[in-house]
Amino acid sequence: MRVLQIASEAVPFAKTGGLADVAGALPVALQQLGCQTTLVLPAYRSVFGKGLPIEQTDLRFPVAVGTRSLEATVFTCRLPGDDGQIFLIGNDHCFDRDSLYGTPDDYADNAERFIFFSRAALELAARQPEPFDIIHCHDWQTGLVPAYQKLLYSSWPTIGQARTVLTIHNMAYQGQFWHWDMLLTGFHWKYFNWQQMEFYGQLNMLKAGIVFADKLTTVSPTYAREIQMAPGGNGLEGVLAGRSRDLVGIVNGIDTNTWNPHADAHIPRHYSADDVDDGKYTARVALAARLGHAAPDPRPLVAFVGRLAEQKGVGLILDLINRMAGSGLAHFVILGTGDPASEQALRTVAASYPDTVDVVIGFDETLAHLIQAAADILLMPSQYEPCGLAQLYAFRYGTIPVVRATGGLADTVVDTNDQTLADGTASGFVFEAFESAALEEAVRRAVAARGDQDRWRELVRRVMEQDWSWQASARRYREVYEQTLAAPSVAVADVE
Ligand code: ADP
Ligand code: GLC
C-alpha cells in the first residue's frame, strides 16, 4: 500500500505541538508495517537551521493560487533509520518567515499559504512515478486536500484514484477565512454552501475536509464522541455527527526512541524502572542548576509542560499555585509559551514564590525532557484534550499524571484508588469538573500518595512498563486505510 501523508508540521523539521510528534512518527511506524509512505511538509525557514540533511531537487513547478502562480521548489531529506520518503515544499513568499503560523497572531495570508501548500503537495504527488492508494492529511492546514483531490485532480496521474483520510487533531482550529478567499482556492463558488465549504459566511477549511474526505479519524475514541456534540464540535458537531459512520478515534502512539529515559540525550543520567529514583534525582540536580537553585528542593515536584492556551487549563494551574504554594507541600515548575496574558500571570506568580515556583517561558525541547525526567507529578488539567501526548511521555519517565477526564486523557489515564491499585490498572489521578478545587483535590491526593514510598514506587514501575509505542496505533491506521480502500469513494453531493 502506498500512503501519502501531508502535514503542516512534523518532527524533527518543525513543531508547535503534538501534531508534529504524530506526523513525524506515524509515517515511520507505517513504513515498518510495510506501507510505503511519503511525507510532504512545508519548507519553513526554520527547517534549514537544524543540521538536517536536506537537499534541493531539480523539481519545480507552478501552483495556481487564485489569479497568481506561485512556484513550488522541492527539497528531500533522508533521515537515519527511516526508509520512507520525505519532501519539503518551498516557496519564499509563503514559508521564509519567522514562524510557522504567526508571531503570535496568525499571519493574515494563512489561507493563501496553506492553499498553496495543499495544492503543491498534490501536484508533487502527481509527479511521482507510482500511484498512491491513500492520501492522509491532518488538520485545517491540509483540510482542502480531499476537496482538491475529488474536484480538481481526479483525473491526475498517481493521485486521481486514491482514497482520502483526514485526521482531526483539534476541533478548535478550523482555518476560517473571509469568503473572498474562495477565489484563491480555484473551486467553483457553488461549493461555498452550508453543507460543504461555508460556515457562517466564511470559508472553513476543516469543514471542507470533513465533508470531502473518504474517512475521518481523530486522536482518541472519547474525543471522537465529544466532537459529535456541543461544545466539543465547535459548531461542526452536526457535520461530524452526519459522518459518524466514517469517523474513528485512534489514540496516538509515542516515539519511544525520542522519549526514552534509557537513551535520552537530553537528560544527565539514563534510567529504567529499576533505578528510577537515582535517575530522577540526577535529573533534579540538573534541573535545579538550570533554574538557578543551589540544590534541588526535596519536596514533590509538580510540573506542567505545554502550550499556554485556554485548552490546557492554564487558569486552573494559576489558581492551584496560588492555593497551594503557601502550603509548602510541593514545588512547581512550569514550561510553556503561548497566550501573552498567561505568560505574564505565570511570571508574576513565580516572582511571588521564588523558592516554590519556577516558570520558564519559551519552547525548549531539552528542558521538556529534563522536566519529564525530574518531576514526580505532571499536570494536565485540560478543558478538552483530543489525545494529549505529555501524559504518555510522563508514563515512560515514571512521572504520574494528574489529568481531567476529557478526550484522550480519559482514554489513557486510570485514576488511583484501592480497586485500581489492587487490579494493577492505576496510572494517575483523574478529576472531572473543570474547576480549581477539583484540580487541587486531585493534586493533594497525588502528593499524599507520593508520601507512601512503597505504593508510589509500585505505581511508577507500572506506568513505566506500559506500552504506548506507535505499533498498535499504526496498525489501527492501516486497518482504516484497508477499509477505506475496500469501500467506494464518498460521492460529491450536488447541493442546490
Ligand atoms: P498539543 O498538541 O495540544 O500542544 P500534546 O500533549 O499532544 O499537546 O503535545 C504537546 C507536545 O509539545 C509535547 O511533545 C510537549 O512536550 C511539547 N511542548 C509543548 N510546549 C512545549 C514547550 N514550551 N517546550 C518544549 N516542548 C513543548
Ligand atoms: C492536538 C491536540 C492534542 C493531540 C495532538 C496530536 O494538538 O491538542 O491533544 O495530542 O494534537 O494528535
Side-chain angles (χ1 to χ4, degrees):
M1 188 187 308
R2 280 176 47 82
V3 181
L4 176 69
Q5 297 272 347
I6 309 176
S8 60
E9 52 182 274
V11 288
F13 299 94
K15 168 166 168 174
T16 65
L19 165 62
D21 293 313
V22 175
L26 175 60
V28 181
L30 285 168
Q31 189 77 25
Q32 283 162 2
L33 290 179
C35 301
Q36 279 178 275
T37 61
T38 298
L39 172 64
V40 186
L41 302 166
Y44 301 109
R45 181 196 293 165
S46 55
V47 306
F48 297 103
K50 296 186 154 65
L52 296 162
I54 297 174
E55 286 170 21
Q56 184 156 6
T57 69
D58 296 336
L59 192 56
R60 49 185 64 223
F61 49 85
V63 177
V65 180
T67 53
R68 295 172 70 190
S69 166
L70 298 180
E71 189 177 55
T73 48
V74 180
F75 300 82
T76 57
C77 184
R78 280 245 165 252
L79 294 178
D82 178 13
D83 53 355
Q85 206 169 20
I86 299 171
F87 289 117
L88 298 112
I89 295 190
N91 175 276
D92 286 351
H93 163 69
C94 291
F95 300 130
D96 187 20
R97 303 188 184 195
D98 288 339
S99 77
L100 274 55
Y101 312 124
T103 49
D105 290 337
D106 288 350
Y107 291 128
D109 57 352
N110 273 349
E112 180 185 34
R113 297 173 72 224
F114 289 100
I115 285 168
F116 164 75
F117 174 63
S118 298
R119 291 195 74 159
L122 286 176
E123 299 209 5
L124 168 64
R127 289 168 167 81
Q128 297 309 300
E130 286 178 74
F132 289 96
D133 301 299
I134 294 287
I135 298 172
H136 186 168
C137 55
H138 299 262
D139 278 355
W140 73 263
Q141 292 88 342
T142 54
L144 293 181
V145 163
Y148 277 124
Q149 192 262 349
K150 283 200 166 74
L151 302 178
L152 297 188
Y153 294 96
S154 63
S155 58
W156 279 50
T158 83
I159 55 171
Q161 297 305 308
R163 297 284 187 276
T164 51
V165 177
L166 167 71
T167 295
I168 299 166
H169 297 263
N170 198 329
M171 282 305 299
Y173 303 94
Q174 300 184 0
Q176 296 190 60
F177 300 97
W178 75 329
H179 61 286
W180 291 116
D181 283 341
M182 263 308 271
L183 293 173
L184 299 178
T185 64
F187 294 128
H188 195 284
W189 271 108
K190 70 178 180 180
Y191 298 109
F192 192 75
N193 67 71
W194 69 282
Q195 292 184 55
Q196 287 168 320
M197 297 184 184
E198 183 262 1
F199 185 66
Y200 292 100
Q202 292 194 300
L203 167 65
N204 185 317
M205 294 194 186
L206 187 65
K207 177 173 175 175
I210 293 169
V211 171
F212 284 90
D214 292 312
K215 196 85 175 179
L216 305 171
T217 78
T218 186
V219 288
S220 68
T222 296
Y223 195 59
R225 287 191 296 277
E226 288 171 350
I227 61 179
Q228 296 180 57
M229 296 175 286
N234 284 264
L236 293 180
E237 51 275 2
V239 186
L240 284 158
R243 296 228 46 200
S244 192
R245 277 162 23 123
D246 296 318
L247 171 62
V248 185
I250 303 175
V251 171
N252 292 326
I254 60 171
D255 180 338
T256 49
N257 294 323
T258 309
W259 295 93
N260 179 7
H262 209 60
D264 188 332
H266 299 295
I267 65 175
R269 180 190 191 285
H270 294 153
Y271 64 91
S272 66
D274 293 330
D275 55 357
V276 51
D277 289 348
D278 292 343
K280 279 194 168 289
Y281 182 76
T282 314
R284 284 177 75 148
V285 173
L287 180 63
R290 168 81 203 263
L291 298 173
H293 300 293
D297 186 337
R299 291 175 291 177
L301 183 58
V302 180
F304 171 83
V305 177
R307 288 184 293 118
L308 301 178
E310 212 185 328
Q311 168 194 352
K312 301 292 176 182
V314 184
L316 296 196
I317 292 174
L318 281 162
D319 284 352
L320 175 80
I321 294 175
N322 280 316
R323 293 162 87 123
M324 279 189 72
S327 73
L329 284 174
H331 190 111
F332 295 89
V333 58
I334 313 287
L335 168 64
T337 176
D339 162 40
S342 302
E343 292 182 352
Q344 193 45 48
L346 283 165
R347 282 197 187 99
T348 304
V349 83
S352 312
Y353 304 101
D355 300 326
T356 300
V357 182
D358 290 297
V359 168
V360 179
I361 301 298
F363 196 94
D364 187 329
E365 198 76 44
T366 298
L367 198 52
H369 285 244
L370 188 60
I371 290 174
Q372 285 280 15
D376 298 299
I377 293 162
L378 182 84
L379 301 174
M380 290 187 82
S382 305
Q383 192 167 23
Y384 70 93
E385 195 62 73
C387 177
L389 295 168
Q391 81 280 17
L392 304 180
Y393 301 147
F395 289 154
R396 283 223 93 197
Y397 287 75
T399 303
I400 304 300
V402 172
V403 307
R404 195 169 94 77
T406 181
L409 299 174
D411 291 338
T412 56
V413 183
V414 177
D415 190 44
T416 299
N417 55 43
D418 289 342
Q419 194 194 326
T420 57
L421 275 173
D423 65 22
T425 55
S427 63
F429 293 84
V430 182
F431 65 99
E432 298 279 337
F434 186 68
E435 289 167 5
S436 317
L439 169 62
E440 182 183 353
E441 193 265 341
V443 171
R444 283 182 184 271
R445 278 200 296 135
V447 169
R450 174 79 184 82
D452 182 341
Q453 293 272 350
D454 291 342
R455 273 188 145 187
W456 189 263
R457 235 179 239 133
E458 181 57 25
L459 186 60
V460 165
R461 168 175 288 281
R462 289 222 196 99
V463 298
M464 289 185 81
E465 281 166 358
Q466 292 189 8
D467 180 4
W468 292 100
S469 62
W470 264 105
Q471 267 152 5
S473 308
R475 236 177 264 124
R476 290 283 293 123
Y477 277 102
R478 191 178 58 180
E479 276 165 29
V480 166
Y481 298 158
E482 281 162 358
Q483 288 161 8
T484 312
L485 285 170
S489 183
V490 168
V492 176
D494 217 354
V495 180
E496 292 303 323

